[in-house]
Amino acid sequence: QRECLPCRDTEYQNVTGQAQCLLCPLNNIVPLPVDNRDALQKCECKPGFWNNDSLTGVSCDACPASASCAGGIAKPSALPGFYLERKNYNLIYQCVEASACPGGIEACATGYSGFLCGKCDDAFYQRDTQCVACQENSRAVFWGLISAVVILGIMAARWRL
């Protein structure tokens, strides 16, 4: 009498009562529960790996450098300080201003936008490589200074008369 043993996390078996399990494709696992290991489609990328088509039951590639891969059918995600475009998940770019790129997919920190988060949003200005928020009252201060100069000019002209 044979004992039925569950397949390991890198195996599956789609026919009940078989003596051996079948191997999942390269860099795949079958997540828990153990009784879930009954079909090739249950094999998915293990953490640190991915496949470009977001499919299960196919071999998976190592995660690109400067990215993290959760496994399953998830796409790579850039690490903080790096930028990843949706059109090519294999290309990870280092951002000029590391704080502009929080990581993720086409993600930019507040105040930054565009490719490599290299542009400043409206209400932000560029100082060196950083986008700095404009002060809410900067226009008021500007016009206040202009008004003061005009008033001082008028007062100076009256004193001369």
Side-chain angles (χ1 to χ4, degrees):
Q1 182 174 3
R2 293 188 318 201
E3 180 183 347
C4 290
L5 298 173
C7 295
R8 292 180 294 178
D9 67 351
T10 57
E11 300 173 327
Y12 72 98
Q13 181 50 261
N14 54 356
V15 179
T16 304
Q18 296 299 307
Q20 293 183 328
C21 295
L22 303 171
L23 280 175
C24 287
L26 186 64
N27 300 317
N28 273 233
I29 59 168
V30 180
L32 294 172
V34 171
D35 60 354
N36 189 39
R37 299 176 179 154
D38 61 357
L40 173 62
Q41 287 70 32
K42 303 286 180 81
C43 298
E44 58 183 47
C45 295
K46 61 185 180 180
F49 293 85
W50 75 294
N51 74 67
N52 198 44
D53 299 318
S54 294
L55 296 174
T56 59
V58 299
S59 64
C60 300
D61 298 317
C63 196
S66 304
S68 66
C69 293
I73 60 170
K75 297 288 190 187
S77 180
L79 296 175
F82 294 87
Y83 187 86
L84 186 152
E85 284 187 293
R86 290 184 206 291
K87 66 182 181 182
N88 188 342
Y89 288 89
N90 284 304
L91 288 176
I92 313 290
Y93 302 93
Q94 187 170 4
C95 295
V96 174
E97 177 56 48
S99 65
C101 300
I105 301 170
E106 293 182 355
C108 296
T110 302
Y112 297 85
S113 61
F115 180 68
L116 296 178
C117 306
K119 293 179 6 184
C120 294
D121 285 338
D122 291 342
F124 287 80
Y125 67 95
Q126 189 163 351
R127 182 188 313 146
D128 297 320
T129 59
Q130 294 185 329
C131 292
V132 180
C134 298
Q135 297 299 320
E136 286 295 321
N137 61 356
S138 60
R139 279 193 180 154
V141 170
F142 172 77
W143 288 112
L145 289 173
I146 295 297
S147 299
V149 168
V150 170
I151 290 171
L152 288 174
I154 291 171
M155 290 175 65
R158 284 193 175 182
W159 281 95
R160 288 187 189 155
L161 294 174

